[in-house]
Amino acid sequence: MEIAVMSIFAGIVAMVFAAYLIRDVLSHAPGSEKMVKISDATKKGAMAYLNRQYKTIAVFAVVITVILSVAINWQTGISFLFGAAFSALAGYIGMNTSVRANVRTANAAKSGGLKDALPLAFRGGAVTGMAVVGLAILGVSLFYYLFKDPVLVMGFGFGGSLISLFARVGGGIYTKAADVGADLVGKVEAGIPEDDPRNPAVIADNVGDNVGDCAGMGADLFETYAVTAIGAMLLGNVLIGPGKAVTYPLALGTAAIVASIIGVLFVRYSSGGIMATLYRGVIAAGVVAAVLFYFITRNMFPTEIIDVSGLSIRYIDLYLSTLVGLGITIAMIVFTEYYTSTKYSPVLSIAKASQTGAATNIITGLAVGYKSTALPVLAVVAGILISYHFAGLYGIAIAAMAMLSVTGMIVALDSFGPITDNAGGIAEMADLDPSTREVTDALDAVGNTTKAVTKGYAIASAGLAALALFAAYVQELGQFGGPAVSEFLLNRPDVIAGLLIGGLIPVLFAAIAIEAVGATAFKVVEEVRRQFREIPGIMERKADPDYARCVDIVTLGALKKMSLPGLLAVVSPIAVGFILGPVALGGLLIGSIISGILLALTMANGGGAWDNAKKYIEDGNFGGKGSDTHKAAVVGDTVGDPYKDTAGPAINPLIKVMNTIAVIFVPLFI
């Protein structure tokens, strides 16, 4: 229990540091009255959407709380409610800061250039990062301290997963419907620049950057962090027994808080470049985490421990498993940057293909997305096999927990993206000097890569977390007298049926999400065309567009269409568990993990590559802005938008929700 108390304290420290970062960000001047007016419009739209989204989700949360309290136990119901509340709070804190940091970043770019704008934008993003890891470790540790049983804490992870799922789907529909509508009419049809104030969808687009990448990714990694820690604790309890094996993941999480704080403080602009400056912080966090992990592991496990299979596990085995997790993180960063950065051949090949039209752009982009799955999957496979070799199933869970040790930094990198993107929009709409836009464009280009890197990291960590939860599910079945692991055979028809259904669900889920983006974007396109047609003087800058109308369209579209994918995630494992049985459900879980990881990687990396290919052309290559090549690239980017920012990232919480539900409902399935 001493470690649980220490972890609670670490969570509080993280929140205090987040408060310090908020104060630091808000101490910077917001700029001119015109800049503040533009920023306030984005802030108002973002917070209004988030409030309406949380009110909608609250209905589901209350119903599920009652069901869990009655069907399972009151502890699971209460922990679920707090998991949902903590996840929502993390998103609210992060986005509230991001929509205030954007105008301050634009003003810093105007007055101090990259030297001032870069650290300010990163610290704005770091607020989300610290809120995510602080509230996650605080909640898990607090409920373990109160209930003293990791099974009863699983509800906390489920609560975070539910918020994540709706935030990812709803935020993704919002941001990409606005983005696609703004690009297709503004760039392709009207020939006006991105973030041009004449575009009626520009404010909705800026709002979407925040609700999708800031609040959405924050909720995503909040629940990944929580369910990974709980899954590792649960496996430690089942495989090794109560005691240090259960609290060890909390100790690693505590070390990760320290590492993340140091990593944030290491981000200072240098002449080495923007990406190198950001990566310096990630590397610092990783190194500090690795050092702390060693001393924690050696002190907690001075003698070997034995798991239920008879495997002897020494402290060095566990420590090496943590290094495996850190190694997977490095691999995912490197591989994702290769496939999505303008410096390397995959993105350049898409840009080159755009010279012959949109069709060849899309064909090449699809190929890049499919190819981009190979190296990340092989890295995850290697991590699974190596960590299992060192410490069995428990080692896989510990590798996943160690991988999440830099979550605070990774979320900061992701939230950095919408801050810099919005800063560029404010610079454009406020008619700031072109030199300011050059600074914000440089930051935004890097922000696109950091967002892609974050998605790759989130997918890999989701896969490892889901595998740990599946292992916990199998072990829990045995604990309650259900089928043993020896019954999960590939020659059983119920297992095959489960595998096929599990493989189907992410594909069907992605189709529903993409369809929702298309339907909502259609309405945005029609509205933008209507305003260009019916409001005289917009193109001559003599009249202002009706920004609020586009904001309202995407808000209603996102809220209406996020429920069906969420219900699919919740209902499918329960239905299979009750109708086909717990063994078939095991097949469903594995099928969803395999299909989900591959589909999510394809979409996230392919979409990121399409986006940066467009930006590479906009930088003056292959004809530059306004050329036929550029128009083809814009079309490809609009195809990739719902891939990388709606369906792809939402698959992460999908597979974790299904695995979490399986663990919680084990007693009822049996």
Side-chain angles (χ1 to χ4, degrees), residues 360-449:
T360 46
N361 169 284
I362 293 171
I363 291 169
T364 307
L366 288 172
V368 167
Y370 292 138
K371 286 165 63 178
S372 72
T373 61
L375 292 176
V377 167
L378 291 176
V380 172
V381 168
I384 291 170
L385 294 176
I386 295 170
S387 57
Y388 183 85
H389 170 75
F390 287 134
L393 288 174
Y394 187 59
I396 296 175
I398 292 305
M401 191 65 205
M403 184 179 181
L404 289 163
S405 63
V406 292
T407 295
M409 290 297 298
I410 296 296
V411 175
L413 290 180
D414 185 75
S415 297
F416 169 87
I419 290 173
T420 56
D421 193 349
N422 281 188
I426 291 169
E428 178 76 30
M429 297 176 73
D431 297 319
L432 299 185
D433 189 88
S435 61
T436 302
R437 187 67 206 235
E438 288 177 11
V439 173
T440 58
D441 281 349
L443 292 171
D444 185 27
V446 171
N448 275 337
T449 301

Side-chain angles (χ1 to χ4, degrees), residues 56 62 93 151 181 213 261 340 357 410 483 552 574 581 615 622 664:
T56 304
V62 171
I93 291 171
V151 175
D213 280 314
I261 291 173
T340 59
I410 296 296
D552 191 53
I574 295 176
K615 290 194 176 298
F622 298 124
I664 290 174

Side-chain angles (χ1 to χ4, degrees), residues 235-597:
L235 278 178
N237 188 57
V238 173
L239 297 174
I240 299 167
K244 293 180 180 179
V246 179
T247 56
Y248 179 53
L250 295 180
L252 296 182
T254 300
I257 297 291
V258 177
S260 294
I261 291 173
I262 293 174
V264 170
L265 296 176
F266 256 78
V267 176
R268 293 285 189 277
Y269 179 72
S270 68
S271 57
I274 301 171
M275 189 63 81
T277 300
L278 297 175
Y279 280 166
R280 185 186 302 115
V282 178
I283 292 169
V287 170
V288 172
V291 173
L292 292 176
F293 289 170
Y294 175 78
F295 290 105
I296 288 171
T297 309
R298 190 179 69 176
N299 289 331
M300 288 189 68
F301 301 98
T303 58
E304 67 179 13
I305 53 177
I306 308 295
D307 73 3
V308 292
S309 68
L311 177 67
S312 173
I313 303 173
R314 301 163 299 161
Y315 86 86
I316 194 65
D317 298 319
L318 291 174
Y319 177 64
L320 291 174
S321 296
T322 67
L323 295 186
V324 169
L326 292 173
I328 296 174
T329 299
I330 295 170
M332 293 306 300
I333 290 174
V334 171
F335 296 154
T336 306
E337 183 173 355
Y338 172 73
Y339 281 106
T340 59
S341 173
T342 55
K343 295 185 292 185
Y344 304 109
S345 59
V347 169
L348 299 181
S349 69
I350 298 174
K352 184 178 180 180
S354 303
Q355 295 177 101
T356 51
T360 46
N361 169 284
I362 293 171
I363 291 169
T364 307
L366 288 172
V368 167
Y370 292 138
K371 286 165 63 178
S372 72
T373 61
L375 292 176
V377 167
L378 291 176
V380 172
V381 168
I384 291 170
L385 294 176
I386 295 170
S387 57
Y388 183 85
H389 170 75
F390 287 134
L393 288 174
Y394 187 59
I396 296 175
I398 292 305
M401 191 65 205
M403 184 179 181
L404 289 163
S405 63
V406 292
T407 295
M409 290 297 298
I410 296 296
V411 175
L413 290 180
D414 185 75
S415 297
F416 169 87
I419 290 173
T420 56
D421 193 349
N422 281 188
I426 291 169
E428 178 76 30
M429 297 176 73
D431 297 319
L432 299 185
D433 189 88
S435 61
T436 302
R437 187 67 206 235
E438 288 177 11
V439 173
T440 58
D441 281 349
L443 292 171
D444 185 27
V446 171
N448 275 337
T449 301
T450 60
K451 286 188 287 187
V453 165
T454 305
K455 291 180 178 71
Y457 169 85
I459 294 165
S461 61
L464 283 179
L467 285 172
L469 289 171
F470 172 76
Y473 168 71
V474 174
Q475 296 299 322
E476 282 292 295
L477 282 178
Q479 290 281 305
F480 283 96
V485 67
S486 58
E487 296 186 44
F488 288 79
L489 300 174
L490 288 177
N491 61 359
R492 287 186 54 154
D494 53 350
V495 173
I496 298 297
L499 285 168
L500 288 172
I501 296 172
L504 165 68
I505 289 173
V507 179
L508 183 60
F509 178 89
I512 295 170
I514 291 173
E515 190 176 49
V517 172
T520 308
F522 181 85
K523 294 180 180 178
V524 175
V525 168
E526 285 198 318
E527 175 60 22
V528 174
R529 286 173 175 169
R530 184 196 68 79
Q531 292 196 32
F532 280 154
R533 185 175 60 250
E534 297 180 7
I535 303 178
I538 287 182
M539 297 305 292
E540 294 78 22
R541 301 180 188 269
K542 295 178 180 178
D544 292 331
D546 184 359
Y547 300 120
R549 178 60 188 148
C550 288
V551 170
D552 191 53
I553 288 172
V554 289
T555 297
L556 293 175
L559 293 175
K560 285 181 179 178
K561 296 180 183 298
M562 72 179 184
S563 299
L564 181 58
L567 288 174
L568 178 66
V570 173
V571 172
S572 56
I574 295 176
V576 170
F578 280 122
I579 297 172
L580 300 180
V583 174
L585 177 56
L588 177 141
L589 299 178
I590 289 295
S592 68
I593 293 170
I594 295 171
S595 168
I597 290 176

